[in-house]
Amino acid sequence: FSPLRAVDPAMLDELEERLLAADLGVAASRKLVDELKKRKFASSDEVLPALKAGMVDMLPPPQHHDGVKPWVTLFVGVNGSGKTTTVAKVGRLLKSAGHGVILVAADTFRAAAGEQLEIWAERLDLPVIRQRTGSDPAALVFDGIRAARAQGVDDVLVDTAGRLQTKKHLMAELEKVRRVAARELPGAPHSTLIVLDATVGQNGLVQCREFHQAVPLTGIVLTKMEGTAKGGIVFSIAEELRLPVEYIGVGEKGEDLLPFSPAAFVEALFE
Amino acid sequence: GLSEKFQRIVKKIRGEGTLTDANMEEALGEVRQALLEGDVNVDVVKQFIERVRERARGQEVMLSLSPAQQLIKVIHLELMRLLGGADAAPSIPGRVRDGLNLKDFPSVIFLVGLQGSGKTTTASKLALYLEKRGLTPLLASTDLQRPAAREQLRILAQQHKHPYFEGTSSSVVELGRECLNQARLKGFNPLILDTAGRLHVDEALMDELVALRDSLRPSEVLYVADSMTGQDAVRSSQAFNARLNLTGIILTKLDGDSRGGAALSIREVTGKPIRFAGTGEKPGDFEVFQPDRMTSRILG
Ligand SMILES: Nc1nc2c(ncn2[C@@H]2O[C@H](COP(=O)(O)OP(=O)(O)OP(=O)(O)O)[C@@H](O)[C@H]2O)c(=O)[nH]1
Ligand SMILES: Nc1nc2c(ncn2[C@@H]2O[C@H](COP(=O)(O)OP(=O)(O)OP(=O)(O)O)[C@@H](O)[C@H]2O)c(=O)[nH]1
Ligand SMILES: [Mg+2]
Ligand SMILES: [Mg+2]
């Protein structure tokens, strides 16, 4: 029989530092450690597994897709987070599962954005809808949905321009894209995924909050996870907005996309 | 300038006559929390707080200030020293204002960093900036891996009428040499070389960058870092610095609302000066880095 004891304060401090180092942020790290403080354990070996279990419990389940056709997914996020590459990867994944997919290059602003997605579409043998720079992104989304309905396509994946949430006119542009999609196809966009760079700090939470105001988010893609960043910001995002991580990006190739596993994610965080 | 939060911390301890150990620790605790919430690296914060604690208690007593005022001064000085530093731009003959070493002919400037940090966009901004100062930069890229990477730089160069060169080699190092030869041949100075984004843990790509550096001998290797980076900023910048011996840092996307603690972390851990700030997507959104603006932003 082993007596139950509170966790050694030095161990709690060390765990809190590891969470902070993983970008969980002050509030989430403190909350998780406080919960450990309230408990008693038979041995110190039980503490880390308990912390991990608590962290896995914080992560919401993925969005359920109910086979609506075409299923429209909007990819949004700040500049350089990995949206265009992610759209290509998701297209490849869906195609390999037998889906008909159309890509929409709705970044009509940035230099060579359309060309970038076009090269991906060519590599993956997927149709892509694009126009010249300066054209209206909402019009492209409209065309994409029209084409998808006409061709009986399963998935429309919409790439949008990177934008910082501080740019109100760009957030308004995103709202317009969503409105046009919804008008053309009630229920669209069925998924709106914010693409977050795993290296992002506490601003990742602000990004989700602000983007969520403009276009209701349904989930997250966490990119560049094969680096050393842990992506711990998703815990406070989960607490505040209940957003699940749907996929993680683990490289720059088309196949470098994995469906999200909370257990694997938490394990990797402590490696 | 001191941020609102810093002012509140100041008011709290200003209310005390003398600075006791207890309220010093309380003040330091507040500063620690503000820095962590501002994305400064956990270990950098630890060292910073430790240094401040020593200095505030130590022999460097400023007799005209109360202990509380002294603590405030130490914190502010320490932050400014970290971010700006009087050692930021040593005087070397042939240097352009704002500290870039362009004494070779032609000089070579590398833009390096993680994927998506803003290197390609920054390359065209730097070209405009240097042109305004009477130089004749040539833009080129050795990014053979990202789809339409060179196309992106070509379009940016074209939009703003900067000289741009695209080599034909399929080897990154040979391509780099091609670009340098072109600059030399046509009398351009400097060569601004955009490179492919890469992870510091990708051995092959880091080796490639080292080989490129060994061959082209750039006088400036500028690490382009996204200002919204969190704790990982230390790991990546440290690794790049260890392998390349960076000459400076450029922070991008400062037109966002991230606190930018990565600036402090990167500066502390590499010791290299932050030269420029990217403040938007347009070519003119580029300025010399201002340390005092950054300190109040980080403290929130
Ligand atoms: N290492 C790594 N790099 C990635 C990953 N996902 C994307 N990238 C790279 O990140 C860089 C930016 O990717 P993009 O897809 O252009 O990002 P974006 O969000 O569309 O950028 P903007 O449209 O300019 O806002 C590219 O070099 C990609 O190859 C990933 O999972 N791992
Ligand atoms: N708002 C804002 N956007 C920026 C800034 N600098 C770059 N960007 C944007 O960030 C995104 C990524 O910029 P790139 O220049 O493609 O980044 P990169 O480092 O060359 O990316 P890779 O080559 O894939 O590693 C683009 O959408 C740029 O327009 C900045 O200072 N502010
Ligand atoms: Mg893109
Ligand atoms: Mg680039």
Side-chain angles (χ1 to χ4, degrees):
Chain A
F1 167 70
S2 187
L4 298 180
R5 281 180 306 178
V7 188
D8 167 25
M11 184 179 208
L12 288 177
D13 282 349
E14 195 223 324
L15 288 174
E16 188 166 8
E17 273 204 19
R18 290 186 76 176
L19 296 179
L20 287 169
D23 283 313
L24 264 82
V26 171
S29 305
R30 196 160 289 167
K31 176 169 192 278
L32 283 163
V33 167
D34 283 349
E35 287 179 5
L36 286 180
K37 247 188 212 155
K38 296 186 194 140
R39 298 175 56 175
K40 291 195 159 49
F41 296 89
S43 109
S44 60
D45 295 338
E46 292 176 7
V47 181
L48 187 56
L51 176 60
K52 287 179 181 174
M55 289 168 76
V56 170
D57 284 345
M58 279 174 89
L59 299 173
Q63 181 190 18
H64 171 66
H65 289 217
D66 60 9
V68 159
K69 203 166 125 164
W71 188 276
V72 179
T73 303
L74 194 61
F75 291 81
V76 303
V78 300
N79 308 72
S81 64
K83 299 174 292 301
T84 304
T85 312
T86 298
V87 167
K89 290 174 180 177
V90 174
R92 180 191 170 282
L93 188 69
L94 292 171
K95 177 176 176 178
S96 66
H99 288 219
V101 180
I102 286 183
L103 307 182
V104 178
D107 176 355
T108 55
F109 168 74
R110 206 208 68 211
E115 286 86 334
Q116 187 186 359
L117 192 60
E118 213 163 37
I119 291 172
W120 273 113
E122 215 167 296
R123 279 185 193 173
L124 303 171
D125 188 23
L126 285 172
V128 59
I129 304 228
R130 68 161 292 210
Q131 274 175 48
R132 303 169 308 108
T133 302
S135 43
D136 179 6
L140 276 158
V141 175
F142 179 89
D143 290 347
I145 296 178
R146 272 280 157 99
R149 293 175 92 166
Q151 299 166 30
V153 153
D154 300 283
D155 289 277
V156 178
L157 306 180
V158 183
D159 183 22
T160 63
R163 69 202 70 218
L164 299 184
Q165 62 274 18
T166 44
K167 311 287 164 80
K168 294 310 168 194
H169 62 294
L170 296 182
M171 300 309 283
E173 176 187 84
L174 209 50
E175 282 187 55
K176 178 177 173 209
V177 165
R178 191 204 64 79
R179 266 203 312 277
V180 166
R183 210 168 45 221
E184 175 57 16
L185 177 63
H190 307 90
S191 293
T192 301
L193 301 179
I194 184 166
V195 180
L196 294 179
D197 188 323
T199 63
V200 77
Q202 297 309 299
N203 197 252
L205 174 59
V206 180
Q207 290 169 26
C208 287
R209 260 187 219 139
E210 297 291 318
F211 272 82
H212 194 52
Q213 291 300 316
V215 285
L217 302 175
T218 59
I220 297 165
V221 178
L222 203 55
T223 62
K224 309 173 199 173
M225 276 293 293
E226 84 281 16
T228 50
K230 303 294 184 180
I233 193 62
V234 300
F235 291 97
S236 36
I237 296 170
E239 283 288 274
E240 191 173 312
L241 300 168
R242 303 283 318 137
L243 287 178
V245 179
E246 296 281 350
Y247 302 103
I248 60 168
V250 289
E252 301 190 73
K253 302 201 292 303
E255 61 262 32
D256 292 332
L257 188 76
L258 298 172
F260 185 68
S261 152
F265 179 73
V266 170
E267 276 305 308
L269 198 139
F270 285 98
E271 266 155 28
Chain B
L2 295 177
S3 67
E4 260 192 44
K5 175 144 198 182
F6 202 42
Q7 309 256 19
R8 263 194 309 106
I9 298 174
V10 168
K11 275 205 183 66
K12 251 184 164 185
I13 53 180
R14 215 165 243 173
E16 323 287 329
T18 67
L19 188 69
T20 64
D21 269 5
N23 55 34
M24 157 119 113
E25 284 313 307
E26 180 179 6
L28 289 182
E30 296 252 345
V31 174
R32 174 181 181 269
Q33 179 159 333
L35 292 175
L36 286 173
E37 287 170 353
D39 281 330
V40 182
N41 180 270
V42 154
D43 295 320
V44 171
V45 172
K46 230 194 226 165
Q47 292 162 26
F48 176 82
I49 296 294
E50 186 48 36
R51 264 204 310 279
V52 167
R53 185 181 288 120
E54 273 177 35
R55 291 238 171 107
R57 279 199 199 129
Q59 296 311 312
E60 318 165 24
V61 175
M62 294 161 246
L63 296 174
S64 58
L65 300 177
S66 74
Q69 285 176 322
Q70 180 156 313
L71 179 64
I72 306 310
K73 191 146 175 58
V74 169
I75 291 174
H76 190 60
L77 277 178
E78 198 55 28
L79 279 172
M80 282 298 290
R81 187 197 68 83
L82 254 185
L83 272 185
D87 56 334
S91 61
I92 289 183
R95 282 206 172 197
V96 172
R97 205 159 30 110
D98 313 321
L100 292 181
N101 175 359
L102 302 179
K103 59 181 175 35
D104 300 328
F105 191 88
S107 285
V108 179
I109 301 176
F110 276 17
L111 294 177
V112 304
L114 300 174
Q115 288 90 347
S117 64
K119 299 172 291 301
T120 305
T121 312
T122 300
S124 78
K125 290 177 179 180
L126 188 57
L128 179 63
Y129 181 86
L130 295 176
E131 275 173 5
K132 284 196 190 138
R133 278 151 181 76
L135 290 154
T136 54
L138 177 65
L139 280 170
S141 163
T142 54
D143 186 349
L144 294 175
Q145 82 198 25
R146 168 174 160 149
R150 290 197 292 171
E151 179 76 349
Q152 183 186 0
L153 186 60
R154 191 183 62 70
I155 291 171
L156 289 173
Q158 192 170 38
Q159 278 174 357
H160 309 289
K161 307 207 170 36
H162 304 307
Y164 167 80
F165 174 73
E166 193 157 306
T168 54
S169 175
S170 55
S171 134
V172 165
V173 177
E174 281 178 34
L175 183 58
R177 290 228 60 84
E178 249 187 287
C179 298
L180 178 54
N181 290 337
Q182 179 73 7
R184 192 173 283 131
L185 197 68
K186 295 288 160 73
F188 288 110
N189 187 27
L191 167 67
I192 300 173
L193 200 60
D194 180 23
T195 65
R198 67 203 66 217
L199 291 178
H200 50 294
V201 292
D202 187 325
E203 297 248 358
L205 285 185
M206 291 305 285
D207 288 346
E208 172 188 272
L209 202 46
V210 172
L212 190 63
R213 183 208 56 190
D214 289 345
S215 172
L216 267 56
R217 308 172 100 32
S219 54
E220 287 287 343
V221 179
L222 301 174
Y223 182 71
V224 178
D226 193 326
S227 61
M228 65 183 93
T229 310
Q231 298 290 313
D232 200 57
V234 152
R235 282 170 230 139
S236 41
S237 61
Q238 192 157 43
F240 269 77
N241 193 38
R243 300 233 44 204
L244 296 172
N245 191 14
L246 306 171
T247 58
I249 314 286
I250 299 180
L251 276 184
T252 61
K253 307 176 201 172
L254 281 168
D255 45 321
D257 55 12
S258 76
R259 299 262 292 265
L264 215 84
S265 308
I266 293 174
R267 171 91 178 121
E268 171 72 353
V269 115
T270 64
K272 300 301 157 74
I274 302 173
R275 292 292 187 209
F276 299 104
T279 57
E281 294 190 77
K282 301 198 298 299
D285 297 329
F286 189 69
E287 54 188 56
V288 172
F289 178 70
Q290 319 264 9
D292 56 340
R293 251 193 253 155
M294 203 70 211
T295 57
S296 44
R297 177 179 181 142
I298 291 174
L299 284 168

